[in-house]
Amino acid sequence: MFKFSALLSLVVAYASAVTLPLAGRQSGACAREYTVAPGDACNKISAAQNVSTFQLAWTNPTAIDQWCSNLRPEQVLCLGKEGKDCTDVHVVEAGDGCWAIYTGAGIPAETFFANNPNVARTCHNIYPGEVLCVASEVFDYST
């Protein structure tokens, strides 16, 4: 839970760093939705639905709290916005590092870090169970 809290804090910080208001960033149509089931958690949903943990938090800033502890059965979450929906993902395992993840996916480091703005360039803040985007297309989460 602490790790998701740190992730959501980074999402909020990222949103504050751009000049557009949060509501303006979220204005795209939802590309995919998911209905929460009993026992769901953010990383579990992300892994099962092929959506990065960052993207799940980014598309649902008012529906998911910083600990991902407020999910309730039958709650509908947006998984991705039109044109900003990474479905190529990697679930972090113990011992994974960013270099191995992005080279294994065949994408450049710049693409990996652009699609995962929550990940530090030193990669010290990824954790087992976190779901990362490994798409070759860059999704602009700043607009």
Side-chain angles (χ1 to χ4, degrees):
M1 284 215 203
F2 170 75
K3 294 293 188 172
F4 189 80
S5 171
L7 170 67
L8 197 55
S9 295
L10 287 169
V11 169
V12 171
Y14 184 76
S16 299
V18 297
T19 57
L20 296 174
L22 186 61
R25 269 209 359 242
Q26 305 301 318
S27 62
C30 189
R32 301 181 289 144
E33 292 182 340
Y34 175 77
T35 302
V36 176
D40 273 348
C42 289
N43 285 334
K44 179 181 175 184
I45 294 168
S46 292
Q49 299 301 314
N50 293 327
V51 57
S52 75
T53 308
F54 172 84
Q55 184 174 294
L56 182 65
W58 184 82
T59 58
N60 298 282
T62 60
I64 300 174
D65 68 20
Q66 66 180 354
W67 301 279
C68 189
S69 63
N70 63 333
L71 297 179
R72 60 188 192 287
E74 304 305 317
Q75 178 181 12
V76 177
L77 299 175
C78 181
L79 299 177
K81 299 290 185 177
E82 292 291 338
K84 298 171 192 279
D85 186 16
C86 178
T87 59
D88 297 321
V89 297
H90 173 85
V91 179
V92 177
E93 296 180 15
D96 275 354
C98 290
W99 182 85
I101 294 169
Y102 63 73
T103 58
I107 61 172
E110 296 75 25
T111 300
F112 174 81
F113 288 110
N115 284 335
N116 298 285
N118 56 303
V119 176
R121 295 292 282 196
T122 59
C123 202
H124 70 276
N125 63 333
I126 66 170
Y127 59 93
E130 182 176 15
V131 183
L132 301 174
C133 177
V134 292
S136 58
E137 173 186 356
V138 173
F139 298 96
D140 181 7
Y141 294 110
S142 68
T143 60

